[in-house]
Amino acid sequence: MEGFHKSRLSKRGASVIKDGRVRTIHIRLGEVTTEVIVVETEVCIKVSNLAPLGAAKFGCIGDVTGDVAVRFCEEASSSFGNSSVIQPVVVVYINVASVSREQNDKKVVFLFYADDGTTVLGKSELQMTCIDISLDVDADRDGVVEKDSAFKGSWKWGAKGHGAILLVNSDCEAENKSNWQDTDDDQINGPLDLKDMSQMILRSDGPDRLPKDYSLQLYVDEKVAEYVGVFQLSGMKEGKQHHLIGPKKRAAEIKYPGSSAETLFAVEGLSFPDRYFEGYVKIHLALFKRDMPIYEDTVLFKVAPWIMTPNTQEPQIVFVCKISQNKE
């Protein structure tokens, strides 16, 4: 499509839901369909399913700003109930390069023509609200939470490795509590407690709010929930932060931050890796349309292991300190 230009955003590829399938958008002939799409992801429409009787050709008109890319592909599809019959299916793939500033401000119009190529037999329109959402962590371990790092969903050991690190919050920042660890509660025990946690940021861009029927959810798998605690810091009063996600709750709906905005989270480990827990913690961000997930982003932490040298090993340096209270 003429006039298409690359966005500053990273190329994400297909917009896939959890089972790995590319998201298919269903539109109807003669109607206007509205959808939310994450920028730099591909979605598909099976145009041949829309074609009115007698249609021999079709075309499409993209957004006048030139940042909507459309490509066509003819794919083989077996007819229902008869795997020996193969029918061609025309699929349109759409990729949008930049975010919307208003709801439904980008569109693609599909036109279906008779055999003469000029007589219009039908028309359908897709209006899109395009957003950018990214769940981010310190994947290169430099103390900075980068935007949409290529390594945020993987982990590699070593000085030249990558992947976010999570500490077990096993000290005690709570006042007047003996034999107590910060992992024993679901709250933040002052500013020193935050220093034991890892940062995670939800970044967004697009309109100020999502259209009706769309929402964001943060969640972890059920088998991981007992090993991690997630606090929301942005928009919360100090001293009122409790586990957004943790052993008692593995999913939570969160507010879309808005245009060029972000939401800050703090993440704590609750248990060291052992024979039952390898230490890997995946946190997922899902975009929902009503009850259906339509996009997902994932970050990966690894809980730092408990390391203890044997008492038979010869010491190199001995440090001695006296502590009256648990303060820096």
Side-chain angles (χ1 to χ4, degrees):
M1 180 173 281
E2 294 183 3
F4 174 66
H5 64 276
K6 288 186 177 181
S7 166
R8 60 181 175 80
L9 300 170
S10 60
K11 186 70 175 179
R12 289 174 171 146
S15 177
V16 297
I17 53 181
K18 194 170 183 180
D19 61 6
R21 292 181 290 113
V22 177
R23 179 188 172 198
T24 299
I25 293 176
H26 300 283
I27 62 177
R28 293 183 178 182
L29 188 65
E31 296 184 7
V32 175
T33 302
T34 59
E35 292 284 344
V36 170
I37 294 177
V38 178
V39 292
E40 293 294 351
T41 63
E42 278 195 329
V43 295
C44 71
I45 298 172
K46 293 182 179 179
V47 177
S48 53
N49 294 351
L50 289 173
L53 186 64
K57 300 177 182 179
F58 81 95
C60 67
I61 303 172
D63 193 278
V64 293
T65 59
D67 65 348
V68 179
V70 180
R71 66 183 180 91
F72 307 92
C73 183
E74 191 172 282
E75 300 177 357
S77 177
S78 51
S79 63
F80 180 76
N82 188 349
S83 60
S84 64
V85 178
I86 305 298
Q87 298 176 340
V89 175
V90 178
V91 180
V92 172
Y93 291 90
I94 299 174
N95 184 303
V96 184
S98 64
V99 298
S100 298
R101 290 308 168 195
E102 297 179 358
Q103 294 183 14
N104 305 320
D105 64 352
K106 300 178 187 294
K107 67 180 180 179
V108 176
V109 178
F110 299 90
L111 299 171
F112 298 90
Y113 300 94
D115 196 43
D116 60 10
T118 57
T119 304
V120 178
L121 301 179
K123 173 183 174 181
S124 294
E125 183 173 319
L126 173 64
Q127 295 182 354
M128 297 170 287
T129 301
C130 301
I131 65 171
D132 178 26
I133 50 175
S134 178
L135 190 62
D136 297 319
V137 293
D138 181 15
D140 60 3
R141 306 169 187 165
D142 64 351
V144 178
V145 179
E146 305 83 13
K147 185 182 186 306
D148 208 21
S149 168
F151 302 114
K152 68 181 184 180
S154 60
W155 215 92
K156 182 180 179 181
W157 283 99
K160 296 183 179 180
H162 59 261
I165 297 173
L166 192 60
L167 300 179
V168 175
N169 195 7
S170 56
D171 61 353
C172 179
E173 251 56 86
E175 296 183 358
N176 303 320
K177 289 187 177 181
S178 59
N179 300 321
W180 181 271
Q181 293 183 346
D182 290 332
T183 54
D184 294 330
D185 61 27
D186 66 346
Q187 63 186 29
I188 297 176
N189 299 300
L192 294 181
D193 201 13
L194 278 174
K195 293 186 177 182
D196 300 324
M197 303 183 194
S198 298
Q199 283 193 348
M200 182 174 70
I201 299 176
L202 166 60
R203 293 184 169 104
S204 67
D205 199 4
D208 291 334
R209 59 181 59 87
L210 291 175
K212 183 182 177 182
D213 295 331
Y214 290 88
S215 62
L216 292 176
Q217 185 182 100
L218 206 64
Y219 76 94
V220 296
D221 295 333
E222 188 173 0
K223 62 182 180 180
V224 172
E226 64 181 293
Y227 301 113
V228 65
V230 179
F231 299 92
Q232 180 175 329
L233 303 183
S234 301
M236 304 296 290
K237 291 184 179 180
E238 187 175 342
K240 299 295 184 180
Q241 298 107 325
H242 293 268
H243 278 164
L244 180 71
I245 291 175
K248 298 179 181 179
K249 186 180 180 183
R250 73 176 192 90
E253 185 172 321
I254 55 176
K255 185 179 178 181
Y256 166 70
S259 178
S260 301
E262 60 184 41
T263 300
L264 178 62
F265 301 90
V267 186
E268 64 176 349
L270 301 180
S271 180
F272 288 102
D274 55 26
R275 61 184 297 185
Y276 304 106
F277 173 50
E278 294 183 351
Y280 294 104
V281 174
K282 285 185 177 181
I283 301 178
H284 309 275
L285 171 70
L287 172 64
F288 278 79
K289 181 180 181 180
R290 292 184 281 274
D291 295 328
M292 180 67 66
I294 59 174
Y295 178 80
E296 186 169 287
D297 198 14
T298 300
V299 296
L300 176 66
F301 288 95
K302 184 168 177 59
V303 179
W306 172 268
I307 300 176
M308 179 179 242
T309 56
N311 59 2
T312 56
Q313 183 174 338
E314 184 177 351
Q316 302 289 321
I317 303 175
V318 176
F319 296 92
V320 179
C321 63
K322 181 179 180 181
I323 300 176
S324 58
Q325 294 182 357
N326 187 23
K327 295 182 179 180
E328 288 188 336

